[in-house]
């Protein structure tokens, strides 16, 4: 869906593209170099999710992280895929490992949330 581009959307999108990892709302708010209302950031992130520009990862503690979809970086998007949460540096990154599963008869899977938790290669 085509939506009007604004400086706010552009700032959030550029931050997520350059981050190379999933960021929480708090991290996005702290790293933006323009003044943006907290609720506006949520609206922008939700619109990006609706438009499949960004995907949302919900960690086991309920905190939401947002990552740019690979197709936005001209790479193949692996759906669904695993995420890795580092308990040392508190980051989440998308892993290019597809999740393979079979749902029992009578079940329809609408979404997946696959998070591996541990220590990332940078913190080892």
């Amino acid at each position: 869906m085509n939506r009007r581009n604004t400086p706010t959307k552009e700032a959030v999108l550029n931050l997520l593209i350059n981050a190379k990892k999933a960021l929480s709302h708090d991290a996005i708010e702290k790293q933006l170099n323009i003044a943006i209302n907290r609720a506006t950031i949520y609206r922008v992130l939700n619109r990006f999710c609706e438009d499949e520009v960004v995907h949302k990862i919900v960690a086991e503690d309920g905190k939401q992280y947002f990552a740019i979809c690979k197709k936005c970086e001209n790479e193949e998007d692996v759906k669904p895929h695993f995420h890795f949460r580092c308990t040392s540096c508190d980051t989440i990154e998308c892993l290019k490992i597809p999740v393979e599963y079979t749902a029992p008869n009578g079940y329809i899977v609408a979404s997946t949330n696959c998070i591996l938790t541990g220590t990332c290669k940078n913190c080892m």
Side-chain angles (χ1 to χ4, degrees), residues 90-102:
D90 195 32
T91 60
I92 290 185
E93 63 183 294
C94 296
L95 302 177
K96 294 181 182 180
I97 302 170
V99 176
E100 296 185 23
Y101 59 87
T102 303

PDB file of all heavy atoms in Angstrom, residues 90-102:
ATOM      1  N   ASP A  90      21.591  -7.864  25.051  1.00  0.00           N
ATOM      2  CA  ASP A  90      20.160  -7.606  24.917  1.00  0.00           C
ATOM      3  C   ASP A  90      19.773  -7.139  23.515  1.00  0.00           C
ATOM      4  O   ASP A  90      19.082  -6.147  23.343  1.00  0.00           O
ATOM      5  CB  ASP A  90      19.668  -6.612  25.970  1.00  0.00           C
ATOM      6  CG  ASP A  90      18.153  -6.626  26.083  1.00  0.00           C
ATOM      7  OD1 ASP A  90      17.543  -7.691  25.878  1.00  0.00           O
ATOM      8  OD2 ASP A  90      17.564  -5.563  26.342  1.00  0.00           O
ATOM      9  N   THR A  91      20.271  -7.881  22.512  1.00  0.00           N
ATOM     10  CA  THR A  91      19.894  -7.596  21.133  1.00  0.00           C
ATOM     11  C   THR A  91      19.179  -8.814  20.556  1.00  0.00           C
ATOM     12  O   THR A  91      19.306  -9.923  21.066  1.00  0.00           O
ATOM     13  CB  THR A  91      21.111  -7.277  20.249  1.00  0.00           C
ATOM     14  OG1 THR A  91      21.991  -8.407  20.241  1.00  0.00           O
ATOM     15  CG2 THR A  91      21.841  -6.041  20.734  1.00  0.00           C
ATOM     16  N   ILE A  92      18.433  -8.583  19.500  1.00  0.00           N
ATOM     17  CA  ILE A  92      17.794  -9.666  18.762  1.00  0.00           C
ATOM     18  C   ILE A  92      18.166  -9.488  17.304  1.00  0.00           C
ATOM     19  O   ILE A  92      18.102  -8.386  16.769  1.00  0.00           O
ATOM     20  CB  ILE A  92      16.259  -9.644  18.919  1.00  0.00           C
ATOM     21  CG1 ILE A  92      15.874 -10.029  20.344  1.00  0.00           C
ATOM     22  CG2 ILE A  92      15.600 -10.570  17.907  1.00  0.00           C
ATOM     23  CD1 ILE A  92      14.388 -10.159  20.571  1.00  0.00           C
ATOM     24  N   GLU A  93      18.573 -10.598  16.689  1.00  0.00           N
ATOM     25  CA  GLU A  93      18.881 -10.539  15.262  1.00  0.00           C
ATOM     26  C   GLU A  93      18.151 -11.658  14.527  1.00  0.00           C
ATOM     27  O   GLU A  93      17.863 -12.705  15.097  1.00  0.00           O
ATOM     28  CB  GLU A  93      20.379 -10.604  15.011  1.00  0.00           C
ATOM     29  CG  GLU A  93      21.056 -11.867  15.452  1.00  0.00           C
ATOM     30  CD  GLU A  93      22.559 -11.819  15.231  1.00  0.00           C
ATOM     31  OE1 GLU A  93      22.992 -11.766  14.063  1.00  0.00           O
ATOM     32  OE2 GLU A  93      23.289 -11.844  16.226  1.00  0.00           O
ATOM     33  N   CYS A  94      17.838 -11.390  13.271  1.00  0.00           N
ATOM     34  CA  CYS A  94      17.195 -12.386  12.432  1.00  0.00           C
ATOM     35  C   CYS A  94      18.256 -13.357  11.939  1.00  0.00           C
ATOM     36  O   CYS A  94      19.338 -12.949  11.531  1.00  0.00           O
ATOM     37  CB  CYS A  94      16.536 -11.717  11.225  1.00  0.00           C
ATOM     38  SG  CYS A  94      15.199 -10.597  11.661  1.00  0.00           S
ATOM     39  N   LEU A  95      17.937 -14.628  11.987  1.00  0.00           N
ATOM     40  CA  LEU A  95      18.829 -15.659  11.478  1.00  0.00           C
ATOM     41  C   LEU A  95      18.232 -16.203  10.186  1.00  0.00           C
ATOM     42  O   LEU A  95      17.022 -16.362  10.077  1.00  0.00           O
ATOM     43  CB  LEU A  95      18.979 -16.793  12.496  1.00  0.00           C
ATOM     44  CG  LEU A  95      19.509 -16.395  13.870  1.00  0.00           C
ATOM     45  CD1 LEU A  95      19.526 -17.609  14.793  1.00  0.00           C
ATOM     46  CD2 LEU A  95      20.895 -15.779  13.765  1.00  0.00           C
ATOM     47  N   LYS A  96      19.070 -16.464   9.225  1.00  0.00           N
ATOM     48  CA  LYS A  96      18.587 -16.951   7.928  1.00  0.00           C
ATOM     49  C   LYS A  96      18.376 -18.462   7.970  1.00  0.00           C
ATOM     50  O   LYS A  96      18.793 -19.188   7.084  1.00  0.00           O
ATOM     51  CB  LYS A  96      19.566 -16.567   6.831  1.00  0.00           C
ATOM     52  CG  LYS A  96      19.653 -15.073   6.613  1.00  0.00           C
ATOM     53  CD  LYS A  96      20.622 -14.745   5.508  1.00  0.00           C
ATOM     54  CE  LYS A  96      20.731 -13.245   5.350  1.00  0.00           C
ATOM     55  NZ  LYS A  96      21.650 -12.861   4.303  1.00  0.00           N
ATOM     56  N   ILE A  97      17.735 -18.908   9.028  1.00  0.00           N
ATOM     57  CA  ILE A  97      17.426 -20.320   9.187  1.00  0.00           C
ATOM     58  C   ILE A  97      15.914 -20.460   9.118  1.00  0.00           C
ATOM     59  O   ILE A  97      15.200 -19.978   9.992  1.00  0.00           O
ATOM     60  CB  ILE A  97      17.935 -20.848  10.550  1.00  0.00           C
ATOM     61  CG1 ILE A  97      19.435 -20.633  10.689  1.00  0.00           C
ATOM     62  CG2 ILE A  97      17.552 -22.314  10.722  1.00  0.00           C
ATOM     63  CD1 ILE A  97      19.950 -20.901  12.093  1.00  0.00           C
ATOM     64  N   PRO A  98      15.404 -21.095   8.070  1.00  0.00           N
ATOM     65  CA  PRO A  98      13.948 -21.243   7.987  1.00  0.00           C
ATOM     66  C   PRO A  98      13.427 -22.194   9.060  1.00  0.00           C
ATOM     67  O   PRO A  98      14.085 -23.158   9.418  1.00  0.00           O
ATOM     68  CB  PRO A  98      13.720 -21.816   6.585  1.00  0.00           C
ATOM     69  CG  PRO A  98      15.024 -22.408   6.185  1.00  0.00           C
ATOM     70  CD  PRO A  98      16.098 -21.677   6.925  1.00  0.00           C
ATOM     71  N   VAL A  99      12.271 -21.885   9.571  1.00  0.00           N
ATOM     72  CA  VAL A  99      11.605 -22.739  10.543  1.00  0.00           C
ATOM     73  C   VAL A  99      10.750 -23.728   9.763  1.00  0.00           C
ATOM     74  O   VAL A  99       9.924 -23.325   8.946  1.00  0.00           O
ATOM     75  CB  VAL A  99      10.711 -21.904  11.494  1.00  0.00           C
ATOM     76  CG1 VAL A  99       9.950 -22.807  12.439  1.00  0.00           C
ATOM     77  CG2 VAL A  99      11.554 -20.896  12.255  1.00  0.00           C
ATOM     78  N   GLU A 100      10.975 -24.995  10.005  1.00  0.00           N
ATOM     79  CA  GLU A 100      10.170 -26.016   9.347  1.00  0.00           C
ATOM     80  C   GLU A 100       9.332 -26.718  10.404  1.00  0.00           C
ATOM     81  O   GLU A 100       9.852 -27.122  11.442  1.00  0.00           O
ATOM     82  CB  GLU A 100      11.064 -26.999   8.600  1.00  0.00           C
ATOM     83  CG  GLU A 100      11.820 -26.314   7.466  1.00  0.00           C
ATOM     84  CD  GLU A 100      12.626 -27.276   6.627  1.00  0.00           C
ATOM     85  OE1 GLU A 100      12.298 -28.480   6.603  1.00  0.00           O
ATOM     86  OE2 GLU A 100      13.581 -26.823   6.000  1.00  0.00           O
ATOM     87  N   TYR A 101       8.057 -26.829  10.140  1.00  0.00           N
ATOM     88  CA  TYR A 101       7.151 -27.464  11.093  1.00  0.00           C
ATOM     89  C   TYR A 101       5.958 -28.024  10.333  1.00  0.00           C
ATOM     90  O   TYR A 101       5.701 -27.651   9.190  1.00  0.00           O
ATOM     91  CB  TYR A 101       6.668 -26.460  12.147  1.00  0.00           C
ATOM     92  CG  TYR A 101       5.956 -25.273  11.560  1.00  0.00           C
ATOM     93  CD1 TYR A 101       4.596 -25.311  11.302  1.00  0.00           C
ATOM     94  CD2 TYR A 101       6.659 -24.110  11.214  1.00  0.00           C
ATOM     95  CE1 TYR A 101       3.947 -24.230  10.743  1.00  0.00           C
ATOM     96  CE2 TYR A 101       6.014 -23.028  10.652  1.00  0.00           C
ATOM     97  CZ  TYR A 101       4.662 -23.097  10.417  1.00  0.00           C
ATOM     98  OH  TYR A 101       4.015 -22.039   9.847  1.00  0.00           O
ATOM     99  N   THR A 102       5.253 -28.909  10.991  1.00  0.00           N
ATOM    100  CA  THR A 102       4.015 -29.455  10.460  1.00  0.00           C
ATOM    101  C   THR A 102       2.955 -29.290  11.534  1.00  0.00           C
ATOM    102  O   THR A 102       3.132 -29.764  12.654  1.00  0.00           O
ATOM    103  CB  THR A 102       4.170 -30.946  10.110  1.00  0.00           C
ATOM    104  OG1 THR A 102       5.246 -31.079   9.178  1.00  0.00           O
ATOM    105  CG2 THR A 102       2.902 -31.502   9.504  1.00  0.00           C
TER     106      THR A 102
END
